[in-house]
Amino acid sequence: MRSSALTLIPALLLLLCSGQVVAGGSFADGFDYPADATYVGSDSCLDCHEEVADLYAHTPHSVELAPLVPGGNATSCEACHGPGSLHVDDEEVDSIINAEMLRGMDDNQRDDMCLQCHNTQHVGWSGGPHQGTGISCADCHADQIHFKVEAKPANAFRNESEFCIQCHTSQVTDFRLPFRHRVLEDQIMCGDCHDPHNGFPTNTWNGLNETCLGCHTEMAGPFVFEHDGVQSEDCTTCHKPHGSTHDKMLITDGNTLCLQCHYESSFNADDSWELAETNHGGLLINEARCFDCHTEIHGSNVAPSFRDQ
Ligand code: HEC
Ligand code: HEC
Ligand code: HEC
Ligand code: HEC
Ligand code: HEC
Ligand code: HEC
Ligand code: HEC
Ligand code: HEC
Ligand code: HEC
Ligand code: HEC
């Protein structure tokens, strides 16, 4: 055993790591196991823990495939349970990173357990929607692990949206609104817009818009007359992304939609309403909406005022 005076050090190390595996350190360093233990290879675990090994046999984490922690010596079982040289001889629970120690992990350690190998591009965890929420890799990938978590893995559901909804119950209400993306009807999936590991891409015009424009190509332009209110803003300035009570999933069907920005307009005593150069006093009668006339609101090849004539 490491001296008990040193037990605070792992906790301190973790604080410094703050969710990222530090080069040179390892996941195992966060635990209090015998300091003189070394890595022996996970083949040796098979001798006595065949049932556990069987659970991994059909995954990329199996003893047979022996995935190696990049820059370290640990493979498979030892990646999470630490070096096993002493334990394979004495068979003691305290000579290895045991279940009780692992049950005491904090959120960062839970992430690091997987990120020690998966800190790659397709899992850009930091900045993704679940980092720091208490939801960790294993909560969604229970088909890859041999310990209990609350959520069922994706392959236990009919489709990916139902998998997400097991936790995100409050979003279901959005998708029952009259104007919506048809997620509950299987025409589009949560994952068409969200990556559970990564945030919206940021390398383009606007990561969020790029996601929308992947399907709504007709809004992408380029247009002869671009609308700055679309080009320099998120689609969500005007649209609810999940669903809305308003036609076209607008955030409101009133003219406040446009007046968020076009507040240069002013009501005058003589009932004229100047919008830039044009008096809208006579135009905004009978509950006319801005986009009844300015129909090409995402951009136009015809008119700078985004009217279709
Ligand atoms: C020679 C047999 C043997 C070998 C080889 C062996 N173990 Fe064990 N292991 C045991 C026994 C027996 C226990 C249960 C000890 C107890 O409950 O007191 C145990 C307990 C454990 C525990 C703790 C379980 C708990 O309830 O906390 C872990 C984790 C573990 N082994 C992992 C490994 C790993 C990883 C390897 C390979 C590096 C390995 N074992 C190799 C016999 C073995
Ligand atoms: C990705 C990390 C990870 C890998 C890989 C892993 N374990 Fe575990 N193991 C855990 C965690 C976490 C727990 C305890 C969790 C709990 O009980 O809540 C655990 C629990 C155990 C236990 C005690 C409970 C039980 O299921 O009997 C044994 C024994 C064990 N592991 C052996 C192994 C062996 C052998 C391998 C390799 C075939 C292995 N583990 C691979 C993370 C891992
Ligand atoms: C020792 C290194 C290592 C650790 C630790 C590890 N993985 Fe993996 N994992 C791999 C490798 C290697 C692959 C196969 C190549 C790939 O998909 O990146 C893989 C593949 C996967 C896959 C894809 C499965 C498939 O069938 O395509 C999932 C999901 C996954 N790992 C989840 C996890 C989770 C969750 C954890 C933590 C509980 C974890 N991994 C810990 C190395 C590791
Ligand atoms: C909120 C749920 C969720 C969380 C949390 C999560 N994943 Fe995933 N992951 C998924 C879904 C959904 C897929 C795609 C469907 C599938 O293959 O299961 C996936 C796919 C993967 C794959 C296969 C990727 C590929 O390109 O084939 C790997 C590897 C993976 N996840 C690793 C991780 C790791 C590591 C973590 C933690 C850092 C993590 N996941 C956290 C839901 C999640
Ligand atoms: C195991 C439960 C669980 C599963 C499964 C799950 N999530 Fe989450 N998710 C959470 C929790 C908890 C949060 C943080 C609290 C919140 O914002 O709801 C979160 C946060 C998010 C956020 C960020 C919310 C914000 O306010 O910024 C998005 C987006 C998200 N999840 C999408 C998904 C998608 C897409 C899936 C399916 C691939 C999924 N989640 C599966 C539990 C889960
Ligand atoms: C058409 C694209 C799209 C689909 C499909 C979609 N989302 Fe979203 N979702 C978004 C956008 C855009 C946001 C707002 C993000 C922002 O403003 O940063 C969002 C926000 C969220 C949030 C944050 C809280 C909230 O409600 O605003 C959660 C959680 C979430 N989505 C989960 C889900 C789940 C679960 C599904 C599937 C059942 C899903 N989303 C389907 C685009 C989508
Ligand atoms: C996020 C802010 C924003 C929102 C919301 C917005 N716009 Fe704009 N709009 C602009 C900006 C910025 C310009 C460029 C102004 C300029 O060139 O003077 C512009 C230009 C225009 C023009 C062309 C003006 C000209 O002088 O040629 C029209 C017409 C217009 N918007 C109508 C609308 C309508 C109708 C709506 C509601 C559906 C709307 N806008 C919502 C920011 C916005
Ligand atoms: C300035 C407000 C505004 C912004 C920003 C905006 N839209 Fe719209 N969008 C509208 C209005 C208003 C309508 C309804 C037009 C109508 O009914 O004639 C609409 C309609 C739509 C429609 C339905 C078209 C149809 O013919 O049924 C789609 C799809 C759409 N928008 C996608 C997007 C996407 C994608 C983005 C981001 C690139 C975006 N919108 C940004 C105001 C906006
Ligand atoms: C995977 C493809 C896909 C993505 C990504 C996508 N949409 Fe859609 N969107 C659709 C489809 C399909 C419809 C038609 C829905 C229907 O009528 O059943 C639609 C309809 C719409 C409508 C019109 C709704 C109505 O009431 O007529 C708007 C507005 C819209 N999407 C905005 C967005 C925004 C904003 C985003 C990004 C947050 C986005 N979409 C991302 C596929 C997509
Ligand atoms: C009944 C039709 C109608 C309605 C409703 C309407 N407009 Fe206009 N708008 C016009 C016409 C006509 C012009 C003059 C430009 C042209 O001839 O194309 C114009 C011009 C504009 C211009 C450009 C001003 C300039 O002279 O360069 C802006 C900005 C504008 N409108 C915003 C709005 C906003 C915001 C609303 C809602 C509060 C709105 N419009 C409602 C018909 C309308």
Side-chain angles (χ1 to χ4, degrees), residues 60-61 67-69 76 79-80 113-114 116-118 122 137-138 141 144-145 147:
H61 305 112
L68 177 72
V69 174
S76 189
C80 300
M113 183 166 67
C114 311
Q116 58 179 323
C117 295
H118 286 286
H122 73 268
C137 317
H141 291 293
Q144 295 291 324
I145 55 170
F147 44 91

Side-chain angles (χ1 to χ4, degrees), residues 258-271:
C258 312
L259 297 176
Q260 301 178 75
C261 299
H262 291 283
Y263 47 75
E264 77 272 19
S265 59
S266 55
F267 289 100
N268 296 328
D270 63 357
D271 207 27

Side-chain angles (χ1 to χ4, degrees), residues 5 96 135-136 167 230 241 265:
I96 194 144
I135 298 300
S136 187
C167 296
V230 175
S265 59

